Amino acid sequence: MLNPFENIKIPPKTEDLIKIVLDRIPKIGGKNVKEREIKRILFYKEQLQKYKDFVLQFPRIDQLHPFYRENIEIIADIDKVKMCLGAINRGVQLSFNIIERYRRLIKSSDEKEANRLMRQCFGRVSSILRSRKDCIDWLIDITSQLKKLKAIDPNLPTIIIAGPPNVGKSTLVSKISSAKPEVASYPFTTKEIHVGHIDTGIFKIQVIDTPGILDRPMSERNSIELKAINAIKNLNGIILFLFDVSNSSIYSAKEQLDLYKEVKSIKSVVIPVLNKIDDKNEELYKQIKENILEKVFEISAEKSIGLDTLLNYVINLLQNGQILDKRDIYLNSG
Ligand code: GDP
């Protein structure tokens, strides 16, 4: 699914749009004075159409995939977005009405009055825009940010790789992806997310790591990070939780197990995976393994050990649709 914000054409900000009109007006001529002034106000109308198109292109928030809705919520108040869309729409409509009224006035006016009427029209429309400047400019900024959300497709079956920092998440993404993973920026983390794909020949799977998201205890999280977890929750897939069982692990067995327990509450299927098995620390390995009741996979992402077994298991689950959360597929209205 295409990012529903990706194709929105970003209009100029309020003062920039007014300036475009102001700069252009002296250059617009006509067969006579009245025609010239009408052409000038119609040029303003043409520019305002950019705001109208902007509002029209904005996806219907209630129909957005929850993954995108959560992403909006991280950077903006959804009620404010709706309010601003309405305010811009009404402002444009009001301006169109004013322009139409002045067009008729100029048409039936004295030639000497035409220029004054055009300037009056310009002033009135500009003040309508300026009274909505906060909304217009804010929504333009928000949309510019949302346009950048690429690479993650919330409708693809997804393998989400979680675990503390440095356990090998991004290494695993790159090892199991068919091509070089893309690097994506999302409002829910300051770190870059790696997004790869696996083509099973029957369907495509997306694989992402989650730096800065599912990597530390919930109690240490702020509200934005909690929303980030909601965004991840809304992805259609399963979590592979990576443990580091190597000699170089910076986390104890308890720290890793505590986080694993928390992550298990996020998605229905969380598969425990012991990584760095090529450099196994027997004590750490034993402590972790003893405390997990579920089926455990042992891999070395770096040395490509155990990856096929793990992948076959995951693909099988995805193929049988066992792990997909039973929820509607949200349609992109954009
Ligand atoms: P992330 O922070 O969880 O994404 O971890 P990275 O993928 O960046 O890996 C952290 C470090 O662990 C890097 O130096 C990797 O080379 C190393 N590493 C990753 N997988 C393995 C593995 O299977 N065995 C060993 N010995 N090192 C690994």
Side-chain angles (χ1 to χ4, degrees), residues 116-156:
R116 188 185 62 79
L117 288 168
M118 182 281 290
R119 281 185 281 128
Q120 208 172 66
C121 177
F122 174 85
R124 293 192 62 183
V125 171
S126 301
S127 64
I128 287 175
L129 287 190
R130 287 195 172 110
S131 70
R132 289 161 168 79
K133 179 178 154 64
D134 284 354
C135 256
I136 298 171
D137 293 356
W138 178 77
L139 204 59
I140 286 174
D141 284 340
I142 296 295
T143 311
S144 308
Q145 285 186 55
L146 292 168
K147 262 172 87 83
K148 290 189 206 135
L149 309 185
K150 281 193 195 140
I152 298 181
D153 179 344
N155 278 331
L156 275 185

Tab-separated table of all heavy atoms in Angstrom, residues 116-156:
chain	number	residue	atom	x	y	z
A	116	ARG	N	-9.351	49.810	-7.836
A	116	ARG	CA	-9.612	49.890	-6.395
A	116	ARG	C	-10.346	48.630	-5.919
A	116	ARG	O	-10.027	48.046	-4.884
A	116	ARG	CB	-10.457	51.136	-6.084
A	116	ARG	CG	-10.623	51.419	-4.585
A	116	ARG	CD	-11.551	52.588	-4.319
A	116	ARG	NE	-12.912	52.374	-4.807
A	116	ARG	CZ	-13.834	51.645	-4.181
A	116	ARG	NH1	-13.545	51.055	-3.043
A	116	ARG	NH2	-15.054	51.493	-4.699
A	117	LEU	N	-11.315	48.169	-6.723
A	117	LEU	CA	-12.068	46.957	-6.349
A	117	LEU	C	-11.157	45.729	-6.307
A	117	LEU	O	-11.258	44.886	-5.422
A	117	LEU	CB	-13.229	46.719	-7.330
A	117	LEU	CG	-14.402	47.704	-7.208
A	117	LEU	CD1	-15.352	47.575	-8.396
A	117	LEU	CD2	-15.169	47.460	-5.904
A	118	MET	N	-10.272	45.650	-7.296
A	118	MET	CA	-9.333	44.514	-7.309
A	118	MET	C	-8.496	44.524	-6.034
A	118	MET	O	-8.318	43.490	-5.383
A	118	MET	CB	-8.424	44.617	-8.548
A	118	MET	CG	-7.431	43.480	-8.721
A	118	MET	SD	-5.967	43.564	-7.692
A	118	MET	CE	-5.111	44.949	-8.447
A	119	ARG	N	-8.009	45.720	-5.640
A	119	ARG	CA	-7.160	45.791	-4.443
A	119	ARG	C	-7.953	45.454	-3.182
A	119	ARG	O	-7.462	44.799	-2.270
A	119	ARG	CB	-6.492	47.170	-4.344
A	119	ARG	CG	-5.280	47.237	-5.302
A	119	ARG	CD	-4.494	48.510	-5.191
A	119	ARG	NE	-5.154	49.596	-5.902
A	119	ARG	CZ	-5.434	50.776	-5.371
A	119	ARG	NH1	-5.117	51.031	-4.121
A	119	ARG	NH2	-6.029	51.709	-6.079
A	120	GLN	N	-9.213	45.898	-3.200
A	120	GLN	CA	-10.081	45.577	-2.055
A	120	GLN	C	-10.280	44.049	-1.944
A	120	GLN	O	-10.187	43.470	-0.871
A	120	GLN	CB	-11.436	46.225	-2.298
A	120	GLN	CG	-12.174	46.581	-1.039
A	120	GLN	CD	-13.419	47.399	-1.357
A	120	GLN	OE1	-14.350	46.883	-1.983
A	120	GLN	NE2	-13.432	48.658	-0.962
A	121	CYS	N	-10.514	43.451	-3.092
A	121	CYS	CA	-10.701	41.994	-3.135
A	121	CYS	C	-9.433	41.297	-2.645
A	121	CYS	O	-9.492	40.391	-1.801
A	121	CYS	CB	-11.041	41.581	-4.571
A	121	CYS	SG	-11.206	39.798	-4.764
A	122	PHE	N	-8.286	41.743	-3.151
A	122	PHE	CA	-7.005	41.155	-2.747
A	122	PHE	C	-6.844	41.241	-1.221
A	122	PHE	O	-6.472	40.266	-0.559
A	122	PHE	CB	-5.850	41.899	-3.449
A	122	PHE	CG	-4.494	41.464	-2.975
A	122	PHE	CD1	-3.874	40.353	-3.519
A	122	PHE	CD2	-3.842	42.153	-1.941
A	122	PHE	CE1	-2.634	39.930	-3.058
A	122	PHE	CE2	-2.605	41.732	-1.478
A	122	PHE	CZ	-1.998	40.622	-2.041
A	123	GLY	N	-7.178	42.410	-0.666
A	123	GLY	CA	-7.039	42.627	0.780
A	123	GLY	C	-7.948	41.708	1.572
A	123	GLY	O	-7.525	41.103	2.563
A	124	ARG	N	-9.177	41.579	1.115
A	124	ARG	CA	-10.133	40.770	1.880
A	124	ARG	C	-9.746	39.283	1.857
A	124	ARG	O	-9.772	38.603	2.887
A	124	ARG	CB	-11.551	40.964	1.327
A	124	ARG	CG	-12.054	42.380	1.573
A	124	ARG	CD	-13.520	42.507	1.299
A	124	ARG	NE	-14.315	41.643	2.176
A	124	ARG	CZ	-15.622	41.530	2.095
A	124	ARG	NH1	-16.284	42.218	1.178
A	124	ARG	NH2	-16.281	40.739	2.909
A	125	VAL	N	-9.379	38.822	0.673
A	125	VAL	CA	-8.993	37.405	0.567
A	125	VAL	C	-7.721	37.147	1.397
A	125	VAL	O	-7.623	36.154	2.127
A	125	VAL	CB	-8.805	36.982	-0.908
A	125	VAL	CG1	-8.185	35.596	-1.003
A	125	VAL	CG2	-10.141	37.014	-1.645
A	126	SER	N	-6.779	38.082	1.301
A	126	SER	CA	-5.519	37.884	2.049
A	126	SER	C	-5.789	37.854	3.544
A	126	SER	O	-5.160	37.087	4.275
A	126	SER	CB	-4.515	38.993	1.737
A	126	SER	OG	-4.262	39.000	0.360
A	127	SER	N	-6.737	38.685	4.014
A	127	SER	CA	-6.959	38.659	5.464
A	127	SER	C	-7.688	37.377	5.884
A	127	SER	O	-7.461	36.882	6.994
A	127	SER	CB	-7.624	39.932	5.990
A	127	SER	OG	-8.899	40.045	5.454
A	128	ILE	N	-8.504	36.819	5.000
A	128	ILE	CA	-9.114	35.512	5.334
A	128	ILE	C	-8.010	34.458	5.474
A	128	ILE	O	-7.992	33.667	6.410
A	128	ILE	CB	-10.123	35.093	4.239
A	128	ILE	CG1	-11.383	35.952	4.347
A	128	ILE	CG2	-10.485	33.611	4.344
A	128	ILE	CD1	-12.391	35.725	3.264
A	129	LEU	N	-7.084	34.489	4.536
A	129	LEU	CA	-5.978	33.510	4.607
A	129	LEU	C	-5.151	33.727	5.868
A	129	LEU	O	-4.810	32.771	6.567
A	129	LEU	CB	-5.062	33.641	3.388
A	129	LEU	CG	-5.593	33.138	2.051
A	129	LEU	CD1	-4.469	33.132	1.019
A	129	LEU	CD2	-6.167	31.725	2.191
A	130	ARG	N	-4.840	35.003	6.127
A	130	ARG	CA	-3.981	35.269	7.300
A	130	ARG	C	-4.664	34.856	8.599
A	130	ARG	O	-3.995	34.416	9.536
A	130	ARG	CB	-3.583	36.743	7.337
A	130	ARG	CG	-2.558	37.074	6.260
A	130	ARG	CD	-1.881	38.409	6.480
A	130	ARG	NE	-0.797	38.585	5.533
A	130	ARG	CZ	-0.817	39.463	4.527
A	130	ARG	NH1	-1.864	40.253	4.354
A	130	ARG	NH2	0.210	39.534	3.702
A	131	SER	N	-5.978	34.970	8.640
A	131	SER	CA	-6.663	34.576	9.881
A	131	SER	C	-6.595	33.058	10.080
A	131	SER	O	-6.862	32.542	11.163
A	131	SER	CB	-8.119	35.053	9.867
A	131	SER	OG	-8.844	34.305	8.909
A	132	ARG	N	-6.259	32.344	9.008
A	132	ARG	CA	-6.137	30.880	9.118
A	132	ARG	C	-4.696	30.407	8.955
A	132	ARG	O	-4.432	29.217	8.803
A	132	ARG	CB	-7.001	30.205	8.047
A	132	ARG	CG	-8.472	30.337	8.325
A	132	ARG	CD	-9.325	30.093	7.097
A	132	ARG	NE	-10.722	29.955	7.454
A	132	ARG	CZ	-11.537	30.964	7.714
A	132	ARG	NH1	-11.081	32.205	7.658
A	132	ARG	NH2	-12.813	30.754	8.028
A	133	LYS	N	-3.805	31.369	8.986
A	133	LYS	CA	-2.386	31.086	8.733
A	133	LYS	C	-1.821	29.973	9.638
A	133	LYS	O	-1.114	29.084	9.167
A	133	LYS	CB	-1.606	32.390	8.957
A	133	LYS	CG	-0.112	32.328	8.765
A	133	LYS	CD	0.429	33.740	8.993
A	133	LYS	CE	1.850	33.792	9.457
A	133	LYS	NZ	2.817	33.295	8.531
A	134	ASP	N	-2.181	30.026	10.935
A	134	ASP	CA	-1.633	29.026	11.871
A	134	ASP	C	-2.002	27.616	11.421
A	134	ASP	O	-1.170	26.712	11.404
A	134	ASP	CB	-2.176	29.254	13.281
A	134	ASP	CG	-1.495	30.440	13.929
A	134	ASP	OD1	-0.537	30.969	13.308
A	134	ASP	OD2	-1.918	30.843	15.022
A	135	CYS	N	-3.282	27.478	11.049
A	135	CYS	CA	-3.765	26.169	10.606
A	135	CYS	C	-3.096	25.745	9.300
A	135	CYS	O	-2.606	24.626	9.172
A	135	CYS	CB	-5.271	26.226	10.365
A	135	CYS	SG	-6.206	25.446	11.676
A	136	ILE	N	-3.091	26.660	8.346
A	136	ILE	CA	-2.558	26.314	7.018
A	136	ILE	C	-1.090	25.896	7.139
A	136	ILE	O	-0.696	24.812	6.695
A	136	ILE	CB	-2.674	27.513	6.038
A	136	ILE	CG1	-4.153	27.898	5.826
A	136	ILE	CG2	-2.008	27.199	4.693
A	136	ILE	CD1	-4.371	29.190	5.051
A	137	ASP	N	-0.308	26.744	7.789
A	137	ASP	CA	1.142	26.476	7.832
A	137	ASP	C	1.460	25.240	8.681
A	137	ASP	O	2.349	24.456	8.356
A	137	ASP	CB	1.892	27.711	8.365
A	137	ASP	CG	1.782	28.874	7.387
A	137	ASP	OD1	1.205	28.681	6.295
A	137	ASP	OD2	2.263	29.976	7.704
A	138	TRP	N	0.693	25.055	9.744
A	138	TRP	CA	0.906	23.886	10.624
A	138	TRP	C	0.589	22.592	9.869
A	138	TRP	O	1.375	21.647	9.881
A	138	TRP	CB	0.008	24.032	11.857
A	138	TRP	CG	0.087	22.881	12.814
A	138	TRP	CD1	1.085	22.623	13.713
A	138	TRP	CD2	-0.870	21.823	12.958
A	138	TRP	NE1	0.801	21.482	14.415
A	138	TRP	CE2	-0.389	20.962	13.976
A	138	TRP	CE3	-2.077	21.511	12.346
A	138	TRP	CZ2	-1.073	19.821	14.384
A	138	TRP	CZ3	-2.767	20.371	12.756
A	138	TRP	CH2	-2.266	19.549	13.765
A	139	LEU	N	-0.543	22.604	9.160
A	139	LEU	CA	-0.930	21.382	8.450
A	139	LEU	C	0.051	21.069	7.307
A	139	LEU	O	0.312	19.904	7.004
A	139	LEU	CB	-2.357	21.532	7.907
A	139	LEU	CG	-3.091	20.216	7.659
A	139	LEU	CD1	-3.206	19.395	8.922
A	139	LEU	CD2	-4.485	20.469	7.102
A	140	ILE	N	0.592	22.112	6.715
A	140	ILE	CA	1.596	21.895	5.663
A	140	ILE	C	2.834	21.212	6.267
A	140	ILE	O	3.378	20.262	5.705
A	140	ILE	CB	1.967	23.236	4.974
A	140	ILE	CG1	0.812	23.670	4.062
A	140	ILE	CG2	3.275	23.132	4.181
A	140	ILE	CD1	0.964	25.037	3.433
A	141	ASP	N	3.244	21.679	7.448
A	141	ASP	CA	4.419	21.061	8.108
A	141	ASP	C	4.151	19.592	8.467
A	141	ASP	O	4.991	18.725	8.242
A	141	ASP	CB	4.762	21.814	9.407
A	141	ASP	CG	5.465	23.134	9.105
A	141	ASP	OD1	6.014	23.269	7.992
A	141	ASP	OD2	5.456	24.023	9.977
A	142	ILE	N	2.980	19.350	9.033
A	142	ILE	CA	2.627	17.982	9.439
A	142	ILE	C	2.614	17.052	8.210
A	142	ILE	O	3.156	15.955	8.230
A	142	ILE	CB	1.202	17.973	10.077
A	142	ILE	CG1	1.176	18.792	11.350
A	142	ILE	CG2	0.690	16.559	10.312
A	142	ILE	CD1	2.026	18.233	12.442
A	143	THR	N	1.973	17.548	7.149
A	143	THR	CA	1.850	16.709	5.950
A	143	THR	C	3.223	16.439	5.343
A	143	THR	O	3.488	15.329	4.865
A	143	THR	CB	0.917	17.384	4.913
A	143	THR	OG1	-0.260	17.793	5.590
A	143	THR	CG2	0.546	16.445	3.794
A	144	SER	N	4.094	17.437	5.376
A	144	SER	CA	5.444	17.222	4.834
A	144	SER	C	6.142	16.109	5.596
A	144	SER	O	6.856	15.296	5.011
A	144	SER	CB	6.296	18.497	4.927
A	144	SER	OG	5.604	19.565	4.364
A	145	GLN	N	5.913	16.062	6.909
A	145	GLN	CA	6.530	14.981	7.702
A	145	GLN	C	5.908	13.629	7.362
A	145	GLN	O	6.608	12.639	7.216
A	145	GLN	CB	6.307	15.233	9.186
A	145	GLN	CG	7.173	16.327	9.767
A	145	GLN	CD	6.970	16.400	11.281
A	145	GLN	OE1	7.130	15.436	12.010
A	145	GLN	NE2	6.606	17.569	11.774
A	146	LEU	N	4.584	13.620	7.234
A	146	LEU	CA	3.901	12.345	6.966
A	146	LEU	C	4.236	11.802	5.577
A	146	LEU	O	4.266	10.597	5.358
A	146	LEU	CB	2.383	12.523	7.107
A	146	LEU	CG	1.902	12.783	8.537
A	146	LEU	CD1	0.452	13.235	8.556
A	146	LEU	CD2	2.064	11.529	9.394
A	147	LYS	N	4.508	12.702	4.652
A	147	LYS	CA	4.884	12.282	3.296
A	147	LYS	C	6.158	11.436	3.291
A	147	LYS	O	6.384	10.620	2.416
A	147	LYS	CB	5.163	13.536	2.441
A	147	LYS	CG	4.020	13.968	1.562
A	147	LYS	CD	4.345	15.305	0.937
A	147	LYS	CE	5.127	15.170	-0.345
A	147	LYS	NZ	4.286	14.908	-1.510
A	148	LYS	N	6.992	11.692	4.297
A	148	LYS	CA	8.295	10.996	4.325
A	148	LYS	C	8.193	9.561	4.834
A	148	LYS	O	9.165	8.817	4.808
A	148	LYS	CB	9.261	11.775	5.219
A	148	LYS	CG	9.675	13.092	4.615
A	148	LYS	CD	10.795	13.684	5.449
A	148	LYS	CE	10.844	15.188	5.327
A	148	LYS	NZ	11.002	15.849	6.617
A	149	LEU	N	7.021	9.196	5.388
A	149	LEU	CA	6.900	7.845	5.943
A	149	LEU	C	6.841	6.836	4.811
A	149	LEU	O	5.796	6.610	4.243
A	149	LEU	CB	5.631	7.715	6.786
A	149	LEU	CG	5.381	8.750	7.846
A	149	LEU	CD1	4.146	8.389	8.637
A	149	LEU	CD2	6.561	8.828	8.793
A	150	LYS	N	7.985	6.313	4.497
A	150	LYS	CA	8.007	5.351	3.399
A	150	LYS	C	8.436	3.996	3.908
A	150	LYS	O	8.768	3.819	5.051
A	150	LYS	CB	9.001	5.829	2.344
A	150	LYS	CG	8.394	6.910	1.493
A	150	LYS	CD	9.232	7.158	0.270
A	150	LYS	CE	8.797	8.478	-0.329
A	150	LYS	NZ	9.882	9.259	-0.804
A	151	ALA	N	8.470	3.097	3.021
A	151	ALA	CA	9.078	1.777	3.230
A	151	ALA	C	8.239	0.793	4.045
A	151	ALA	O	8.179	-0.362	3.707
A	151	ALA	CB	10.480	1.883	3.798
A	152	ILE	N	7.579	1.231	5.119
A	152	ILE	CA	6.778	0.258	5.866
A	152	ILE	C	5.368	0.208	5.268
A	152	ILE	O	4.699	1.227	5.156
A	152	ILE	CB	6.691	0.611	7.362
A	152	ILE	CG1	8.087	0.581	7.992
A	152	ILE	CG2	5.765	-0.366	8.085
A	152	ILE	CD1	8.125	0.899	9.464
A	153	ASP	N	4.965	-0.978	4.862
A	153	ASP	CA	3.627	-1.148	4.291
A	153	ASP	C	2.770	-1.884	5.313
A	153	ASP	O	2.952	-3.079	5.541
A	153	ASP	CB	3.738	-1.961	2.995
A	153	ASP	CG	2.377	-2.183	2.359
A	153	ASP	OD1	1.357	-1.980	3.046
A	153	ASP	OD2	2.340	-2.574	1.183
A	154	PRO	N	1.843	-1.194	5.960
A	154	PRO	CA	1.103	-1.835	7.051
A	154	PRO	C	0.209	-2.997	6.619
A	154	PRO	O	-0.277	-3.735	7.463
A	154	PRO	CB	0.268	-0.698	7.640
A	154	PRO	CG	0.222	0.359	6.612
A	154	PRO	CD	1.446	0.204	5.760
A	155	ASN	N	0.014	-3.157	5.333
A	155	ASN	CA	-0.831	-4.283	4.910
A	155	ASN	C	-0.057	-5.538	4.542
A	155	ASN	O	-0.643	-6.559	4.223
A	155	ASN	CB	-1.736	-3.864	3.752
A	155	ASN	CG	-2.974	-3.138	4.274
A	155	ASN	OD1	-3.402	-3.407	5.392
A	155	ASN	ND2	-3.510	-2.234	3.498
A	156	LEU	N	1.268	-5.460	4.563
A	156	LEU	CA	2.056	-6.667	4.254
A	156	LEU	C	2.262	-7.479	5.531
A	156	LEU	O	2.437	-6.912	6.608
A	156	LEU	CB	3.441	-6.269	3.736
A	156	LEU	CG	3.626	-5.956	2.258
A	156	LEU	CD1	5.110	-5.703	1.998
A	156	LEU	CD2	3.132	-7.086	1.377
